[in-house]
Amino acid sequence: MATLIHRTLSHSHKTFHLRFFSQAALALDQSSSPSPLTYLEGFPKPDPKYAETILAIPRSTSGKNISAKERKVGRVPSIVFEQEDGQHGGNKRLISVQTNQIRKLVKHLGQSFFLSRLFDLEVRSEFGTGDLIEKVRVLPRMLHLHAGTDAPLNVTFIRAPSNALLKVDIPLVFRGEDVCPGIRKGLFLNTIKRTVKFLCPPDIIPPYIDVDLSELDGGQKLLVGDLKVHPALKFLRSKDEPVCKIMGARVSDQQRKK
């Protein structure tokens, strides 16, 4: 049976009871992999320009009123799931992250790309200078934005040790429209999927998947199984599901100019 380590921390006249990882989770996270996975040549890799550490502080309680107070002072109420296999629900830690930092990352990356990228998460008793409580690699699992302002309202993170398998919605980037035979004939691209869900080892989560349209003619379509991905990634849906299709009536040059 796993033993939990507890620590009490005084912060702004409040007492936080911080629950650290179980011995089983620590052992799993620290276990060595026989052959570490790496990105393959020719496949998309995360841009190091956005390799940013997300800063956080612990939060003692949850609730609608607490969340409203956090947002009022420029913080986003968040949760980190401390999961032994990185996939199923487990112990959770309440934290708050900085609104400006999350807003900046989402703006620069885009929401879908933010949710498919790993970040280091650093939890301290105070932003920037407080005692380090935890530093862990995480994947943003869910992001809730304000409908009118796009301000981040809630973020959920999931732990991402190297030996986990994570369900990730990978964004699709369509390329080759300028030379696509079907589009050049005046037909149009029907985009059916913007993301595709894969089961991914965290070390090789692709920031996006390229979709090559350069040989697609009228009436032809691309399926999930046609996507070129790292062989360690596993499809979670049927490989026969369509991604896009060239279809529709021919569009005249005059109509294209409108």
Side-chain angles (χ1 to χ4, degrees), residues 12-214:
S12 300
H13 306 294
K14 296 181 181 179
T15 299
F16 295 97
H17 296 281
L18 306 177
R19 180 170 54 188
F20 287 79
F21 302 123
S22 69
Q23 292 176 350
L26 283 170
L28 183 61
D29 192 33
Q30 295 170 356
S31 62
S32 58
S33 174
S35 55
L37 293 170
T38 58
Y39 289 95
L40 299 179
E41 192 67 31
F43 287 85
K45 302 176 183 178
D47 189 338
K49 180 171 65 173
Y50 301 109
E52 188 166 332
T53 297
I54 295 177
L55 305 179
I57 58 174
R59 184 163 48 95
S60 59
T61 56
S62 61
K64 186 176 181 180
N65 292 336
I66 296 295
S67 295
K69 290 179 180 178
E70 290 293 288
R71 297 185 189 108
K72 191 174 181 179
V73 296
R75 298 195 290 257
V76 182
S78 307
I79 297 175
V80 183
F81 283 98
E82 302 174 354
Q83 302 167 139
E84 293 193 359
D85 65 357
Q87 182 177 345
H88 301 289
N91 298 327
K92 66 181 181 181
R93 168 168 291 155
L94 300 177
I95 60 171
S96 290
V97 295
Q98 296 171 308
T99 300
N100 289 342
Q101 185 179 28
I102 300 302
R103 187 197 290 268
K104 179 191 70 174
L105 288 170
V106 173
K107 180 180 179 180
H108 288 174
L109 291 168
Q111 183 172 348
S112 295
F113 296 87
F114 173 75
L115 292 171
S116 63
R117 184 183 178 96
L118 296 177
F119 294 93
D120 284 332
L121 178 73
E122 190 173 278
V123 184
R124 291 183 177 271
S125 56
E126 296 279 356
F127 280 119
T129 59
D131 294 334
L132 179 63
I133 298 168
E134 174 189 359
K135 186 169 184 178
V136 63
R137 189 173 64 170
V138 297
L139 174 74
R141 169 62 78 203
M142 289 185 288
L143 173 67
H144 182 203
L145 301 178
H146 188 280
T149 65
D150 283 339
L153 300 178
N154 301 95
V155 189
T156 299
F157 299 98
I158 185 173
R159 292 186 69 243
S162 293
N163 52 3
L165 287 174
L166 304 179
K167 295 178 181 178
V168 188
D169 287 305
I170 308 297
L172 303 179
V173 175
F174 296 86
R175 304 188 190 277
E177 293 184 55
D178 55 333
V179 296
C180 173
I183 294 177
R184 290 175 66 88
K185 291 176 181 177
L187 306 178
F188 68 90
L189 175 68
N190 179 24
T191 302
I192 300 169
K193 290 184 179 295
R194 297 286 181 181
T195 63
V196 175
K197 190 181 292 290
F198 286 88
L199 193 63
C200 305
D203 292 342
I204 55 167
I205 294 176
Y208 57 86
I209 296 171
D210 280 319
V211 182
D212 183 10
L213 306 174
S214 62

